[in-house]
Amino acid sequence: SRARVKWGIPIPDDPSHVFYVWVDALSNYITALGYADDSPGFEKFWGEDAERMHVIGKEIIRFHCLYWPGMLIAAGLLPPSRVFAHGWMTKDGKKLSKSTGNIIDTKVLADQYGVDAVRYYFLRETSFGQDWDFSEAGLAQRFNSDLANDFGNLVSRSLTMIAKYCDGKIPARVDESADNRLATEGIFASYDALNFSAALTEIWASVSAANQWIVQTAPWNLAKDPARAADLNAFLYRLGERVRILALLASPVIPASAQKVLDMMGIPKDAEARRSVAYGLLPEGQPLGPIQPLFPTHRTQESASRERRNKPRLARRYRYHARRGGRNRHCEEPHRRGRYRHCEARVRWRGAEAILFRPPHRTRPRRHRSLRRP
């Protein structure tokens, strides 16, 4: 209550004080669930068997940990079973402020990187609950290294090899020893404790281990030996199961991307393999769905400036003609004439197509007849 506020509900014992906004705001937790009508929603989320948890900002701890429990106990209701207070966020070392323009436009970030990537960065970069500083450069780095290069690359390599070596179908099921299966207990414990950074760190350690497993096993060499076809199928099934389980473990943070992985694996919508992390649920013989890039690499300003710096160096090494939407001004198809007929390499620089002239038997190309000065 406050004495200086004139609007509110007067306290019967002391009319100079009034109840103000917090009484109405806090009571919404139960009135919105149908407390007055004894609705099933109230019993589901606020009953004796429910986990009555609040996630709040640390500046309003006093209202949620002192006043709100007192109000509930006075009404004969159960207080919250858990209150988690998160920290504050800054940007580039400065406090967020609309007046100074130092803000984080989450809609722009979601349009540029995707909702899953933004959520992953916010929960992975620091321990949930601590103060931390936001940086878009850090978001781009996490996107490219963790999501595109690690997880996205694992999914693409695994499903591409299954499609290539198993006729586009999940190979026959094989058992896996308990020692080699993914340990999920610690990940679930971290999720329950709202320690998202620890859970994601453990998941991505398994992602990196799976990528190394592919390199060490070298299934492309197994495919060359028909006598080792059984070993190749066993490896690909275990690898597919690992990808499925990792997608499910990461689904609380990247739900849309995880469902996209399961769709690419061809798992039916109502299958248990979409809900359980138990090993061996991947249906053998199931045709794969269309394989698509999961997280296309995001170009940062640093990579763009590096490309601009390298452009003159590449231009000095090879002679090229720039084509901007029409015919080359010297000749129609110079790469098909004379000594340049073996070279048809084309690249794109900042919207302009370039044809690289690289003679196969000469270290330094001669000037084309059509380009010689009179």
Side-chain angles (χ1 to χ4, degrees), residues 173-182 213 234-235 237-239 241-242 245 279-280:
R173 183 185 182 279
V174 292
D175 292 331
E176 178 78 304
S177 63
D179 296 336
N180 293 331
R181 296 182 183 181
L182 288 176
W213 186 32
F235 169 77
Y237 183 85
R238 294 185 178 117
L239 181 63
E241 267 293 66
R242 186 152 300 191
I245 295 173
Y279 178 84

Side-chain angles (χ1 to χ4, degrees), residues 84 119-120 122-129 187 190-203 252-253:
F84 188 93
R119 187 188 298 109
Y120 173 83
F122 274 50
L123 296 179
R124 172 69 190 273
E125 192 67 14
T126 187
S127 297
F128 188 59
I187 297 174
S190 297
Y191 274 139
D192 291 339
L194 299 185
N195 192 353
F196 300 106
S197 179
L200 294 173
T201 299
E202 190 171 349
I203 293 171
V253 179

Side-chain angles (χ1 to χ4, degrees), residues 234-350:
F235 169 77
L236 291 178
Y237 183 85
R238 294 185 178 117
L239 181 63
E241 267 293 66
R242 186 152 300 191
V243 170
R244 178 187 70 85
I245 295 173
L246 287 172
L248 288 176
L249 291 174
S251 60
V253 179
I254 51 172
S257 301
Q259 293 302 314
K260 188 177 179 180
V261 173
L262 300 178
D263 290 339
M264 287 190 287
M265 301 184 78
I267 301 176
K269 297 293 184 180
D270 57 346
E272 188 180 359
R274 283 182 174 265
R275 301 184 299 271
S276 174
V277 295
Y279 178 84
L281 297 179
L282 193 61
E284 61 178 82
Q286 177 70 38
L288 296 179
I291 301 176
Q292 302 172 355
L294 193 61
F295 294 103
T297 302
H298 180 76
R299 289 187 58 191
T300 61
Q301 293 183 354
E302 180 181 356
S303 63
S305 61
R306 189 186 306 114
E307 181 179 338
R308 288 194 295 269
R309 291 194 302 268
N310 291 338
K311 177 183 175 180
R313 186 182 310 167
L314 184 61
R316 288 193 300 268
R317 186 177 302 174
Y318 307 122
R319 298 181 183 273
Y320 67 94
H321 295 303
R323 293 164 53 107
R324 297 181 181 273
R327 292 182 176 182
N328 187 278
R329 62 188 180 91
H330 296 289
C331 52
E332 293 184 2
E333 294 186 358
H335 60 285
R336 296 187 183 275
R337 298 179 58 183
R339 64 176 61 89
Y340 302 105
R341 64 183 180 277
H342 301 289
C343 181
E344 299 183 11
R346 295 168 180 259
V347 296
R348 293 190 67 83
W349 284 328
R350 301 176 66 182

Side-chain angles (χ1 to χ4, degrees), residues 201-221:
T201 299
E202 190 171 349
I203 293 171
W204 255 255
S206 299
V207 170
S208 299
N211 279 318
Q212 295 175 5
W213 186 32
I214 295 175
V215 176
Q216 294 170 358
T217 306
W220 45 88
N221 291 332

